C-alpha cells in the first residue's frame, strides 16, 4: 500500500492550488483590498467575516476563529483527512503524487474519489448517447419533446436514458476498467443473486452535478408501466461523493447568475429547472428528492453573500394546492436561515414552471418569477383564512397571531406596511394593530446562543496576554507582524536590523522567535506561512498568527514594498526613541564626576542612538506613497 506523501509533493500541490479558487467552490468571495471576503462556511453569520489571503495561501474567520491553509479548509468543509485533502487537490490540478515506503498498515485507495467521478463521467456519456440512439429510449425522447424541450436542451442539461436490459452500463464500465466495488460504492450498480446489475433501468435520467460541474449522481424518472420500482423518481443513494441534503440540481449552471444577481429561484423538479433556464430565468435550482433544508440554505447564503447589508432574493415556487401551501408554511418556519428577502411565486392555476411554459410560453415563466409576493404575505393569507373575521373575538385573535409575522420580516422598513395590511384585511383600527405589535415586541425573548468553533485555549499562552495584545499601544507591533508574515520576501532585506527588543509584548516577542527561525523566501511562497504555522506550538499563538496573516494592513497596499518597509522602520523608530529615553533617564541619575566612566559611555551611546533615530526618520520620510 502507498506510504507517506513526499513533502515536496505536498508543497507543490499547495503552490498550485490557489486557495481562493478552492474556497470559491463553496463560498462567494468579493475583493476587499488584498483580501477576499465572504460569509463563513463554518458558522452562521449575517455579515462577512471570513477572510482569504490568496498571496499567503491562508484564510481566517474573525467570527469563529477558523483558520488555516487550503488543506485545512478542505479537511474542515468536506470532513477529509490531511492525506485525502492533498490527494483531492492533486487530482484537481493534475499532479501525480509520490509516496514514501514504510507505511505497512492498510489504507484506503487514495484515488477512490477520482475513480468514482470518472465512472460517473463515463456513465453520463453512456446514458446521453443511449437517449439519442437507443430504440428503448424512444419513450424518453418523446417525453422530452412533450415537455417542450428540443434535442439541444436535452444535451445542454446532459439528459440520458438507462437501457432496460439491466446490465448495459455495468458491461460498458467494466470494459473501461472499473471494478465491481467502484460501481456499487458509487451507486451506479447493485448486487443481486445473479451478480451486478444497473441501478437505473428503463428510466429517463438527469445528471446531478456538484458546483464544479462534476457528475456525482443521477435522478431517474419512471417511463414504463412494468418498471418494478413504482416510485416516479429514483435518485442516487448516499455515496462518498453524493450527499443529497447538500446538493441542488442545476447549481453548476446557476451559481454565477445567483452570485451576480443575488437571486435564487427554488423550484420543485428537474424539468422545472430546465424550463426556467430555457425561459431566461438562469437562477433556478431544485432539490434532489428531499425537502429544501438547512444545508441547502447554507449553500445558497454563501453564494448570495447573504447578510444584513445586502438584500438578495430567494424565491420559492409552489403549486397552488394544499400541498403547495403546506410547503410554503414549512419554508416560512425555517425562514430564519435567510437574511435575504424571501418570496413565493404561485401560479393561480396551480401550474409548475414547466407546465406554464408549455401552456403560455417563456414570457409567462419570467412573469411568474417577476410577480412574486413576499412569503410573509402568502403566510398571512393562509393565517387569516382560519378566522371568522365577522366576529369581534376572532378579529382580536387574528390580529394577535398576525403581528407575529412582523418580527420575521428582514426589511424593517416594511414592518409598518405589514401592520397596515393586517389592519385593512382584518378590519380593525391601525392603532390596535400597532399596540398588539408593540406588546409582542416587548415580550421577553430567549437569549440566543452563539455557535462558535473556537475551542478553549489549549496552548501555554495565557488568554489575558492575547487579549492585551490588541491594546492601542501595540498597534505598530501588530502592523509589523502583518507585514512580515504576509510578505516575507519583501521583509527579507529588512529583518537583519530587527531583534527581539523591537517587540515589547510577550505575544509578539514569542512569535518573532518562531519567525526569525524560518528560512526566508526570495519570492512569494504559498508554503512559507503554513510551515510557520506548523512550527508554532501554542493554539493561542496560532490564532494570533492567523489574524496577522489575513487582516489588511492599515496603510493599504498601493505600494506593498513601501508599506512593508514603512511599518518595519516605524517599529525601529519606536525602539530607538524608547532606548533614548532610557539612556537619558540613566544619565540624569548618574554623577558625571564620581561616575565619569559609565557617564561618558552612556553619553556616547546616547549620541549614537540619536544619530540612528535621525537616520531612520529620514528614511521613513523618503519612503514613497505613505
Amino acid at each position: 500500500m502507498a506510504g507517506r506523501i513526499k513533502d515536496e509533493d505536498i508543497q507543490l500541490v499547495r503552490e498550485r492550488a490557489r486557495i481562493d479558487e478552492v474556497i470559491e467552490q463553496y463560498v462567494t468571495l468579493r475583493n476587499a483590498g488584498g483580501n477576499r471576503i465572504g460569509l463563513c462556511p463554518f458558522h452562521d453569520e449575517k455579515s462577512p467575516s471570513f477572510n482569504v489571503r490568496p498571496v499567503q495561501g491562508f484564510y481566517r474567520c474573525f467570527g469563529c476563529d477558523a483558520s488555516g491553509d487550503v488543506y485545512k479548509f478542505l479537511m474542515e468543509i468536506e470532513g477529509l483527512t490531511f492525506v485525502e485533502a492533498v490527494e483531492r487537490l492533486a487530482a484537481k490540478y493534475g499532479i501525480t503524487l509520490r509516496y514514501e515506503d514504510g507505511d505497512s498498515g492498510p489504507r484506503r485507495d487514495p484515488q477512490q474519489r477520482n475513480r468514482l467521478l470518472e465512472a460517473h463521467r463515463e456513465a453520463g456519456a453512456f446514458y446521453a448517447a443511449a437517449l439519442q440512439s437507443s430504440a428503448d429510449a424512444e419513450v424518453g425522447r418523446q417525453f422530452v419533446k412533450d415537455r417542450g424541450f428540443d434535442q439541444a436542451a436535452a444535451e445542454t442539461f446532459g439528459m440520458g436514458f438507462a437501457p432496460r436490459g439491466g446490465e448495459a452500463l455495468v458491461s460498458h464500465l467494466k470494459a473501461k476498467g472499473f471494478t465491481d466495488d467502484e460501481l456499487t460504492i458509487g451507486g451506479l450498480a447493485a448486487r443481486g443473486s445473479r451478480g451486478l446489475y444497473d441501478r437505473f433501468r428503463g428510466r429517463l435520467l438527469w445528471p446531478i452535478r456538484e458546483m464544479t460541474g462534476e457528475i456525482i449522481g443521477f435522478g431517474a424518472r419512471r417511463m414504463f408501466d412494468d418498471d418494478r420500482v413504482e416510485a416516479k423518481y429514483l435518485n442516487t443513494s448516499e455515496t462518498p461523493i453524493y450527499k443529497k441534503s447538500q446538493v441542488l440540481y442545476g447549481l453548476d449552471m446557476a451559481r454565477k447568475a445567483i452570485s451576480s444577481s443575488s437571486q435564487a429561484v427554488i423550484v420543485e423538479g428537474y424539468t422545472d429547472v430546465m424550463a426556467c433556464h430555457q425561459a431566461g430565468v438562469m437562477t433556478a435550482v431544485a432539490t434532489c428528492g428531499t425537502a429544501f433544508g438547512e444545508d441547502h440554505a447554507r449553500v445558497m447564503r454563501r453564494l448570495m453573500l447573504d447578510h444584513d447589508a445586502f438584500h438578495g432574493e430567494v424565491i420559492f415556487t409552489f403549486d397552488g394546492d394544499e400541498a403547495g401551501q403546506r410547503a410554503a408554511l414549512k419554508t416560512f418556519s425555517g425562514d430564519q436561515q435567510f437574511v435575504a428577502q424571501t418570496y413565493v411565486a404561485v401560479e393561480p392555476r396551480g401550474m409548475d414552471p414547466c407546465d406554464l411554459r408549455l401552456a403560455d410560453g417563456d414570457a409567462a415563466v419570467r412573469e411568474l418569477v417577476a410577480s412574486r409576493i413576499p412569503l410573509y404575505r402568502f403566510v398571512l393569507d393562509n393565517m387569516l383564512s382560519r378566522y371568522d373575521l365577522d366576529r369581534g373575538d376572532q378579529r382580536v385573535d387574528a390580529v394577535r397571531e398576525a403581528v407575529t409575522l412582523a418580527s420575521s420580516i428582514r426589511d424593517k422598513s416594511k414592518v409598518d406596511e405589514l401592520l397596515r395590511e393586517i389592519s385593512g384585511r382584518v378590519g380593525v383600527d391601525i392603532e390596535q394593530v400597532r399596540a398588539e405589535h408593540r406588546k409582542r415586541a416587548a415580550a421577553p425573548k430567549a437569549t440566543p446562543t452563539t455557535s462558535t468553533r473556537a475551542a478553549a485555549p489549549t496552548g501555554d499562552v495565557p488568554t489575558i496576554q492575547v487579549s492585551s495584545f490588541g491594546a492601542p499601544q501595540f498597534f505598530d507591533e501588530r502592523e509589523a507582524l502583518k507585514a512580515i508574515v504576509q510578505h516575507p520576501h519583501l521583509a527579507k532585506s529588512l529583518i537583519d536590523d530587527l531583534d527581539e527588543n523591537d517587540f515589547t509584548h510577550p505575544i509578539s516577542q514569542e512569535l518573532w522567535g518562531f519567525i526569525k527561525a524560518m528560512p526566508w523566501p526570495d519570492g512569494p511562497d504559498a508554503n512559507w506561512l503554513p510551515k510557520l504555522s506548523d512550527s508554532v506550538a501554542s493554539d493561542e499563538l496560532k490564532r494570533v498568527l492567523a489574524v496577522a496573516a489575513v487582516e489588511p494592513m492599515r496603510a493599504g497596499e498601493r505600494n506593498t514594498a513601501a508599506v512593508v518597509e514603512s511599518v518595519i522602520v516605524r517599529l525601529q523608530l519606536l525602539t530607538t526613541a524608547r532606548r533614548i529615553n532610557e539612556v537619558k533617564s540613566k544619565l540624569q541619575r548618574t554623577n558625571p564626576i564620581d561616575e565619569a566612566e559609565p557617564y561618558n559611555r552612556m553619553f556616547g551611546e546616547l549620541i549614537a542612538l540619536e544619530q540612528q533615530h535621525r537616520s531612520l526618520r529620514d528614511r521613513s520620510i523618503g519612503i514613497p506613497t505613505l
Side-chain angles (χ1 to χ4, degrees):
M1 298 300 289
R4 186 175 182 272
I5 302 173
K6 289 183 176 291
D7 287 340
E8 53 264 42
D9 289 351
I10 293 173
Q11 295 177 24
L12 176 62
V13 173
R14 187 187 279 125
E15 289 170 359
R16 295 272 185 87
R18 276 186 59 97
I19 191 169
D20 53 331
E21 289 181 356
V22 174
I23 290 177
E24 275 199 303
Q25 300 301 317
Y26 305 88
V27 181
T28 293
L29 301 174
R30 57 183 172 86
N31 294 328
N35 283 11
R36 305 196 69 196
I37 65 173
L39 291 177
C40 180
F42 301 119
H43 81 289
D44 290 331
E45 62 178 1
K46 295 181 178 180
S47 299
S49 59
F50 186 77
N51 286 249
V52 181
R53 196 81 179 179
V55 175
Q56 284 73 39
F58 221 71
Y59 70 88
R60 184 179 190 275
C61 175
F62 289 91
C64 71
D65 281 340
S67 64
D69 62 1
V70 68
Y71 295 139
K72 180 70 174 299
F73 180 83
L74 271 186
M75 290 166 66
E76 294 291 328
I77 199 77
E78 293 281 6
L80 306 177
T81 65
F82 175 78
V83 171
E84 289 170 336
V86 177
E87 291 169 344
R88 171 89 60 95
L89 289 172
K92 177 178 175 63
Y93 289 92
I95 299 170
T96 301
L97 296 175
R98 296 168 298 166
Y99 295 82
E100 296 173 347
D101 295 331
D103 186 357
S104 58
R107 200 158 66 82
R108 57 155 196 83
D109 180 2
Q111 297 299 318
Q112 184 193 67
R113 175 180 168 81
N114 289 340
R115 294 288 293 171
L116 296 182
L117 291 176
E118 288 175 16
H120 278 76
R121 198 177 304 125
E122 289 287 348
F126 175 82
Y127 289 141
L131 178 61
Q132 301 304 323
S133 59
S134 169
D136 280 349
E138 177 57 34
V139 64
R141 292 191 289 271
Q142 188 60 47
F143 177 90
V144 172
K145 183 178 179 180
D146 290 344
R147 300 303 285 163
F149 305 112
D150 56 18
Q151 181 176 334
E155 291 175 356
T156 296
F157 287 87
M159 292 183 68
F161 184 82
R164 302 188 72 185
E167 297 178 358
L169 180 67
V170 168
S171 298
H172 175 76
L173 293 180
K174 291 185 73 170
K176 294 281 187 178
F178 293 98
T179 66
D180 289 6
D181 284 346
E182 288 169 340
L183 300 187
T184 55
I185 290 172
L188 295 170
R191 295 185 188 276
S193 58
R194 293 184 295 177
L196 228 55
Y197 63 88
D198 295 348
R199 176 81 167 82
F200 305 110
R201 291 157 291 172
R203 289 189 171 231
L204 188 64
L205 299 174
W206 286 264
I208 300 169
R209 305 175 189 270
E210 59 185 4
M211 280 192 283
T212 59
E214 293 280 6
I215 299 175
I216 55 176
F218 293 92
R221 190 189 192 282
R222 194 173 194 257
M223 289 281 106
F224 298 99
D225 292 338
D226 61 352
D227 191 327
R228 285 178 290 180
V229 179
E230 294 187 0
K232 183 177 180 180
Y233 282 95
L234 183 64
N235 295 297
T236 295
S237 302
E238 296 274 312
T239 73
I241 61 174
Y242 178 76
K243 309 295 181 186
K244 65 181 180 180
S245 64
Q246 301 172 9
V247 174
L248 288 163
Y249 175 72
L251 191 57
D252 58 305
M253 302 179 70
R255 59 169 301 185
K256 288 184 179 179
I258 290 172
S259 296
S260 62
S261 68
S262 304
Q263 180 195 81
V265 178
I266 315 297
V267 298
E268 293 189 318
Y270 304 121
T271 57
D272 292 331
V273 172
M274 293 178 67
C276 285
H277 281 249
Q278 292 287 290
V281 181
M282 308 304 294
T283 58
V285 295
T287 58
C288 300
T290 184
F292 189 90
E294 185 177 345
D295 289 338
H296 297 123
R298 288 198 185 101
V299 172
M300 298 309 304
R301 290 183 65 243
R302 294 198 300 266
L303 285 179
M304 296 175 66
L305 266 181
D306 182 30
H307 59 89
D308 277 341
F310 193 87
H311 295 297
E313 293 183 351
V314 179
I315 304 169
F316 291 89
T317 63
F318 299 109
D319 292 340
D321 59 13
E322 185 178 347
Q325 290 193 14
R326 286 198 302 270
L329 291 171
K330 183 177 180 181
T331 298
F332 185 80
S333 67
D335 188 39
Q336 293 297 328
Q337 298 168 116
F338 288 105
V339 178
Q341 304 301 294
T342 312
Y343 294 83
V344 60
V346 178
E347 208 283 323
R349 295 164 291 179
M351 292 184 177
D352 58 32
C354 187
D355 288 332
L356 180 60
R357 179 171 178 263
L358 276 172
D360 298 336
D362 291 346
V365 176
R366 296 192 295 271
E367 179 59 28
L368 172 66
V369 174
S371 63
R372 66 204 178 280
I373 62 172
L375 182 57
Y376 73 80
R377 183 172 297 164
F378 183 86
V379 175
L380 176 62
D381 290 342
N382 184 280
M383 185 180 291
L384 295 182
S385 68
R386 300 198 300 269
Y387 293 92
D388 181 358
L389 299 181
D390 290 331
R391 292 173 49 186
D393 62 329
Q394 291 277 286
R395 288 196 295 272
V396 171
D397 291 341
V399 169
R400 286 176 177 169
E401 184 178 3
V403 295
T404 62
L405 298 178
S407 61
S408 300
I409 298 178
R410 303 293 178 266
D411 190 342
K412 297 307 178 185
S413 65
K414 296 180 180 178
V415 170
D416 197 59
E417 177 186 340
L418 171 61
L419 299 182
R420 289 182 179 278
E421 195 167 336
I422 294 171
S423 170
R425 296 285 303 280
V426 178
V428 298
D429 186 77
I430 180 62
E431 290 306 321
Q432 179 182 341
V433 179
R434 286 172 177 160
E436 287 292 346
H437 177 243
R438 286 193 296 269
K439 189 185 302 182
R440 174 77 183 183
K445 296 181 177 64
T447 302
T449 57
T450 302
S451 173
T452 177
R453 299 176 67 255
T458 57
D460 54 4
V461 180
T463 303
I464 190 170
Q465 287 189 2
V466 176
S467 176
S468 66
F469 188 46
Q473 63 265 37
F474 301 113
F475 169 81
D476 293 285
E477 294 182 32
R478 296 194 300 271
E479 290 295 292
L481 285 176
K482 287 192 285 187
I484 292 168
V485 301
Q486 291 177 21
H487 307 284
H489 62 294
L490 299 178
K492 180 179 181 181
S493 62
L494 307 168
I495 52 94
D496 288 341
D497 297 328
L498 284 179
D499 59 40
E500 59 272 10
N501 293 325
D502 290 308
F503 297 95
T504 61
H505 193 281
I507 290 293
S508 54
Q509 287 176 339
E510 189 164 357
L511 273 178
W512 172 245
F514 288 107
I515 290 170
K516 69 180 181 181
M518 290 285 293
W520 292 85
D522 295 321
D525 184 352
N527 288 295
W528 190 85
L529 186 57
K531 285 183 178 179
L532 172 61
S533 181
D534 289 343
S535 73
V536 174
S538 160
D539 286 345
E540 290 287 2
L541 282 178
K542 285 181 185 289
R543 292 191 182 102
V544 175
L545 177 62
V547 173
V550 301
E551 187 174 78
M553 289 182 287
R554 295 290 179 87
E557 301 201 1
R558 291 167 293 170
N559 185 326
T560 305
V563 170
V564 172
E565 183 180 5
S566 173
V567 296
I568 291 177
V569 169
R570 169 69 179 169
L571 192 66
Q572 293 172 306
L573 269 170
L574 293 175
T575 300
T576 56
R578 189 167 57 248
R579 184 60 182 151
I580 286 170
N581 290 333
E582 291 171 357
V583 173
K584 283 183 176 179
S585 177
K586 287 183 180 180
L587 279 172
Q588 289 177 347
R589 300 192 304 271
T590 304
N591 188 311
I593 297 175
D594 296 339
E595 302 173 274
E597 183 177 346
Y599 184 91
N600 291 333
R601 186 176 64 251
M602 284 188 286
F603 191 80
E605 182 182 358
L606 177 62
I607 293 174
L609 284 169
E610 289 179 334
Q611 289 176 340
Q612 181 183 359
H613 193 265
R614 284 194 296 271
S615 175
L616 287 168
R617 186 181 58 204
D618 293 342
R619 182 178 171 188
S620 68
I621 293 173
I623 298 173
T625 78
L626 298 176

